[in-house]
Amino acid sequence: VPMGLPHTICRYGNPVGVVDMPEVACPPPLGVLHVRVKRASSLKAADFAVLSAASSDPYVAVQFGDTNWKSSVVHQDLNPVWTADDRVMLLVSEEGQFLNMSVMDEDKYTADDLLGVTKPWKIADLIEQLTAAGVSRKEFELPLWHDLGALSAGQPVSASTLSVDIEWSPLQPYQALNTGDLAVLAVKCCRAMTTRFRATSCRVEVDYNGRIVSSPTMPVLEPDLSELRETVARVVRGGATTGRRLELWTALGIDPVDAEAVVQELGKQGVVALQGQAPQHATTQAKKRSFVEIPLDHVIYIPLVYNAEDEVYIALFNGNGHRIGGVFKAPMKRIRGPVTPILQQMEELDEKSGHGAQLEIALSLHPTTRRVGSYDAAPPSPARRLAHQAPQGSAPALEEAAPVVSAIPAVE
């Protein structure tokens, strides 16, 4: 329920009073809008040649929320017809969103030209039209304006039109899925654990049939170190060596990185004498021994045409784009329950080397109202990236690139 204050949401927690932060930050979508571009007619010519008739190389651009998609290009055609693979699945978060479509002319050496633009289409109005017609799918022939200025000024439309096939599929309660059903895969990213030696921030990357979707990059939450000053000063004044200090921090339940940061601060201020110790060495060793949790609090939603034989690949990356640990493989046929919680060790935790990473996620599938419909196969996708990614750029087999690979247990 939205409150009066901006960016404030009031939501009840579960019976023990715990709020599911990832779902609060990223609530499930209302449904999936399946848009297939079919054809356009009477487009204007944007390319001129001396020895041939003027023409255009049109494609359709779709903008919806943070999704920007474009169709294939039909070369030298003012009445283009696109293939069945020119379609996109869009996640609808609220009915107040707008669907924006335009027809562009592709140019090789200059900016692409606008051939026509449709009127922004409010999702609530689109759903109302489908409901009034008693269907969930319909072909629409939309008029095109030559430019945004003509549309804003309310000038008459051009002779150009764009035909699209649109299907609306709202989400349904969980039920068993069959191949060809339209569904939404949810990857709830709860938290990650690694060492500051490996990362001070990280993100989750999900690869489904070549579609790469990432969570936002989240930093380590820096604590208030003021309360450590007295304890740290006593330890340093006691003459503890670097190695002994690191052991004491662990025994006292103090993060070694935080403690060594206070040591360096007190040394610079002259409060304690470091007696020729190597501060950089101490900090490096502390980072290697310090495991930290990074709250991710995000849900990645991916619309898909369900196929039990497909697999989803999940990996953890630091803020510099380097993968931490292995690649986790989850077969779609094993995601049988509404929620499949996973605590996945991406790499063995090792305090001495500073290596290791854990990722806490939960996988779930949200069916829609469309059951084995007309879109029985997904469009072709590029080769999976995570499935063949090695830490330093080569592409060995999955087992070599990711020594820690697990198949999730079946959830009945």
Side-chain angles (χ1 to χ4, degrees):
V1 181
M3 302 290 287
L5 297 175
H7 311 299
T8 303
I9 296 178
C10 177
R11 178 165 176 166
Y12 292 104
N14 60 25
V16 296
V18 178
V19 175
D20 190 330
M21 290 306 299
E23 288 198 1
V24 169
C26 308
L30 299 179
V32 178
L33 200 64
H34 207 147
V35 180
R36 178 189 168 190
V37 177
K38 300 195 75 173
R39 60 188 173 274
S41 62
S42 303
L43 297 176
K44 67 178 182 179
D47 299 331
F48 299 91
V50 176
L51 301 178
S52 61
S55 187
S56 293
D57 302 318
Y59 67 88
V60 177
V62 175
Q63 188 278 322
F64 185 77
D66 59 357
T67 299
N68 291 282
W69 174 87
K70 73 175 189 177
S71 71
S72 61
V73 179
V74 180
H75 293 282
Q76 298 183 344
D77 198 334
L78 300 181
N79 298 282
V81 176
W82 283 276
T83 69
D85 289 334
D86 285 296
R87 51 195 166 89
V88 60
M89 292 184 286
L90 305 169
L91 292 174
V92 177
S93 300
E94 57 181 39
E95 293 186 359
Q97 290 180 283
F98 285 85
L99 175 64
N100 301 285
M101 293 178 286
S102 57
V103 182
M104 306 292 295
D105 168 59
E106 183 185 57
D107 289 321
K108 189 173 183 180
Y109 300 108
T110 60
D112 293 352
D113 301 311
L114 177 63
L115 301 179
V117 61
T118 65
K119 183 178 180 180
W121 204 347
K122 192 174 183 179
I123 297 302
D125 297 336
L126 171 57
I127 295 176
E128 183 179 350
Q129 291 185 42
L130 292 172
T131 303
V135 296
S136 61
R137 176 187 174 190
K138 184 179 179 181
E139 182 176 329
F140 295 90
E141 187 175 18
L142 306 174
L144 293 173
W145 281 261
H146 281 322
D147 56 56
L148 295 174
L151 174 58
S152 302
Q155 297 178 8
V157 298
S158 68
S160 306
T161 61
L162 173 66
S163 295
V164 293
D165 187 289
I166 296 180
E167 182 176 8
W168 166 241
S169 303
L171 260 61
Q172 294 286 96
Y174 178 78
Q175 52 187 306
L177 291 165
N178 298 311
T179 298
D181 289 347
L182 183 63
V184 176
L185 171 67
V187 182
K188 183 191 295 184
C189 309
C190 302
R191 64 182 180 89
M193 175 177 284
T194 185
T195 63
R196 296 196 201 199
F197 187 72
R198 298 296 298 278
T200 56
S201 61
C202 69
R203 73 177 190 273
V204 175
E205 199 164 282
V206 179
D207 181 345
Y208 176 78
N209 279 353
R211 279 185 286 168
I212 308 294
V213 186
S214 300
S215 70
T217 300
M218 301 299 292
V220 174
L221 298 179
E222 297 297 337
D224 181 7
L225 305 181
S226 58
E227 297 181 358
L228 293 179
R229 291 174 61 88
E230 185 177 345
T231 301
V232 169
R234 285 202 306 267
V235 171
V236 176
R237 289 182 182 128
T241 63
T242 299
R244 177 58 178 160
R245 282 208 312 268
L246 296 178
E247 294 176 359
L248 287 173
W249 305 143
T250 303
L252 294 172
I254 300 174
D255 189 319
V257 172
D258 296 339
E260 288 302 319
V262 174
V263 169
Q264 303 310 315
E265 178 186 347
L266 295 178
K268 291 178 181 179
Q269 296 174 355
V271 177
V272 297
L274 297 183
Q275 300 176 350
Q277 299 174 30
Q280 185 61 41
H281 173 72
T283 303
T284 300
Q285 292 301 315
K287 284 185 177 181
K288 286 187 176 182
R289 298 188 183 195
S290 175
F291 282 92
V292 291
E293 289 188 10
I294 302 177
L296 300 171
D297 295 339
H298 187 79
V299 184
I300 296 173
Y301 295 104
I302 302 177
L304 54 87
V305 177
Y306 180 76
N307 185 341
E309 301 305 316
D310 283 344
E311 296 170 333
V312 57
Y313 294 84
I314 303 171
L316 187 66
F317 288 80
N318 64 19
N320 295 324
H322 299 293
R323 199 182 71 220
I324 306 173
V327 177
F328 171 60
K329 179 178 69 176
M332 296 296 292
K333 59 187 175 184
R334 295 295 185 92
I335 310 175
R336 298 180 182 174
V339 178
T340 305
I342 302 165
L343 179 60
Q344 176 63 25
Q345 184 163 292
M346 311 301 285
E347 186 179 60
E348 185 177 357
L349 302 178
D350 185 353
E351 292 187 359
K352 291 184 178 180
S353 67
H355 290 182
Q358 282 185 346
L359 178 63
E360 183 179 336
I361 58 176
L363 303 180
S364 57
L365 280 168
H366 300 264
T368 69
T369 52
R370 186 172 70 72
R371 317 293 291 175
V372 192
S374 56
Y375 304 111
D376 292 331
S381 299
R384 290 186 178 90
R385 189 177 77 176
L386 291 179
H388 303 286
Q389 186 185 65
Q392 301 301 326
S394 59
L398 176 62
E399 289 72 16
E400 298 176 14
V404 182
V405 178
S406 299
I408 62 175
V411 178
E412 303 295 343

